[in-house]
Amino acid sequence: MAAYRALRAAAMLVLPALVAAAAPSPNGPVGIFTGQTDIGSVTPPGTAIFDPATGVYTLTSAGANLWYREDDFHFVWTKMSGDVALQADVTWPPATYGHDPVAHRKALLMFRQTLDPDGVYVDVAPHGDGTTALQYRRERGANAQDIELNLGAAKTVRLEKRGDRVTMLVSFHGEAPHRVGATIKLDLAGAFYAGLGLTSHDAATSDVVQFADLKLEPPAPLPVARPTTWSTLQVIQTEDPYRRAMMIRTDRGIFEGPNMAPDGTFLLINREGRLWKIPYLDPKAPHGGDPVPFDTGEAKGCWGEHGFSPDGKWLAISCAPPGSSWPDVFIVPAAGGAPRQLTHRPIAYFRGWSPDSRTVVFASKAPDGDADLFTIPLGGGAPTRLTRGGNNDGAEYTPDGQWLYFNSA
């Protein structure tokens, strides 16, 4: 708290000077921030101005991007340590240059370990096209990653650091900023920089952004009562340099066992014993629509163990047959429909498909909790036992279909 008191006292001392001299200083204080810096390549140099009458910070900056392994942007900052929250309303004034703004120009609320262009950082980045992202670089010199929302432009954005957990919160309609499932683990050791930034995403153009109703404060204590459980569904690109996660849906409750439909049009999840389809790549909801029930017929009480066949024709599910509380393996058409019971065991969970879609591997559990692995043809029949004794589970076929790999005690 002493650091915050000192920061507020410094802000009170700085404000009268800024009233008398509104012109930007290339290195000096700006409002509550103690310095400003061009990070990476910014030509002409970026500027920042604070208007004490309105409380608005106006940043002007060029810069090719804030992504990959190197950053180009203007940054106003103060040094902090410990837990902190940074919040502001972000506005893009009308462009005054002779071409359309770049869609991915980025306003930044940032915590940064150093002022090096390849340094460790995390930020909330409202983009010019309305996308909002939690961006971060875990190690110096590494490619940046992000978690993106496509829910429309946020009115207010907030970045909270609690220990090594950093969370993005947003507000769209003036409500209190709330979580949207974008939280990462990032260790900012010792002192770090907290502040505002801008990159135009165009090295030849200087853009302008404004931050209002700024708050730099300790985060509020978390509630003592057990919080409501929320789940987040994301689609994550794994190839460098496009290490990005697109938010599909965040909601109360527990999502389990996500599968992508063979044609890529929806994602399948288990929620409270039912299977749900979440539209994907729908023009009206490009990154996830409202869940709709997936038809499993009389098979109810489904577990999170399910998967589409490689040929895209079938879905194997682990659901309870009528009159039972424990699952067996069923086969349903990939679009949903009447189920066909494939196993008749005390407890059986789907585990994987053979590459030719003709065989299913499943785990059958005994009352003592141990499990063994079996295969069964798609058409049904007697299962083939593969293991005996111990706890054997989590099986998958190798791509050539000649072997199974699995977990075993």
Side-chain angles (χ1 to χ4, degrees):
M1 289 300 296
Y4 288 98
R5 294 190 189 100
L7 179 61
R8 285 195 291 267
M12 291 175 67
L13 291 173
V14 166
L15 292 184
L18 287 172
V19 173
S25 168
N27 299 303
V30 183
I32 66 168
F33 299 104
T34 56
Q36 58 176 304
T37 308
D38 283 336
I39 295 189
S41 177
V42 180
T43 304
T47 63
I49 299 174
F50 174 67
D51 183 349
T54 62
V56 172
Y57 292 81
T58 301
L59 272 63
T60 302
S61 182
N65 203 352
L66 184 84
W67 193 242
Y68 302 127
R69 291 182 170 88
E70 190 165 324
D71 306 328
D72 301 310
F73 70 106
H74 191 67
F75 188 38
V76 296
W77 50 264
T78 194
K79 297 202 78 171
M80 305 290 296
S81 61
D83 293 349
V84 63
L86 180 59
Q87 176 178 318
D89 296 348
V90 178
T91 302
W92 297 96
T96 58
Y97 39 82
H99 58 83
D100 291 336
V102 177
H104 280 196
R105 56 183 176 162
K106 298 166 186 172
L108 310 166
L109 279 67
M110 177 179 284
F111 303 148
R112 192 175 187 92
Q113 188 74 77
T114 70
L115 299 179
D116 303 302
D118 62 349
V120 174
Y121 77 89
V122 59
D123 68 44
V124 174
H127 292 40
D129 65 357
T131 300
T132 304
L134 179 71
Q135 300 183 146
Y136 54 97
R137 181 181 292 120
R138 295 189 185 277
E139 299 177 359
R140 183 171 179 175
N143 270 328
Q145 301 174 238
D146 75 5
I147 302 172
E148 298 182 14
L149 306 180
N150 194 13
L151 303 174
K155 178 180 183 295
T156 305
V157 291
R158 183 176 175 92
L159 188 64
E160 289 189 351
K161 175 186 177 297
R162 300 174 187 268
D164 62 359
R165 301 285 176 173
V166 185
T167 300
M168 174 173 70
L169 299 90
V170 298
S171 168
F172 293 99
H173 308 292
E175 73 279 11
H178 53 86
R179 296 168 182 249
V180 285
T183 296
I184 63 160
K185 184 176 181 180
L186 184 72
D187 184 20
L188 292 171
F192 56 91
Y193 297 86
L196 309 174
L198 169 64
T199 180
S200 68
H201 208 288
D202 179 352
T205 299
S206 291
D207 222 316
V208 178
V209 72
Q210 293 182 325
F211 301 88
D213 294 328
L214 184 80
K215 296 179 181 178
L216 182 60
E217 59 191 5
L222 293 174
V224 176
R226 184 174 179 177
T228 301
T229 299
W230 287 73
S231 293
T232 297
L233 181 65
Q234 303 173 6
V235 171
I236 303 173
Q237 293 177 265
T238 58
E239 66 275 15
D240 277 335
Y242 305 105
R243 301 296 300 277
R244 63 204 313 177
M246 181 61 68
M247 190 76 67
I248 305 302
R249 189 169 185 85
T250 296
D251 207 348
R252 289 181 174 85
I254 297 176
F255 300 169
E256 294 183 291
N259 293 147
M260 178 71 79
D263 62 2
T265 59
F266 66 89
L267 289 148
L268 188 72
I269 63 167
N270 176 286
R271 186 179 183 186
E272 299 175 349
R274 298 185 64 184
L275 298 183
W276 297 84
K277 295 167 56 174
I278 299 180
Y280 186 64
L281 302 180
D282 182 330
K284 295 181 181 179
H287 296 290
D290 292 331
V292 295
F294 183 89
D295 182 14
T296 59
E298 64 182 8
K300 306 295 183 182
C302 298
W303 272 253
E305 290 79 9
H306 45 78
F308 290 99
S309 59
D311 63 10
K313 296 180 180 179
W314 303 100
L315 176 72
I317 59 177
S318 307
C319 302
S324 174
S325 299
W326 295 102
D328 262 301
V329 179
F330 293 77
I331 303 298
V332 297
R340 176 167 57 87
Q341 189 167 345
L342 196 60
T343 67
H344 296 80
R345 308 285 301 183
I347 305 174
Y349 298 93
F350 164 78
R351 286 295 178 254
W353 285 93
S354 63
D356 63 6
S357 301
R358 296 180 180 177
T359 305
V360 168
V361 58
F362 66 93
S364 182
K365 289 198 171 187
D368 62 7
D370 284 351
D372 278 304
L373 297 173
F374 299 78
T375 58
I376 190 167
L378 175 63
T384 299
R385 186 168 191 155
L386 304 179
T387 64
R388 187 176 298 276
N391 195 2
N392 307 285
D393 208 343
E396 291 281 2
Y397 277 89
T398 57
D400 62 7
Q402 299 301 305
W403 297 85
L404 284 157
Y405 56 94
F406 60 96
N407 304 320
S408 178

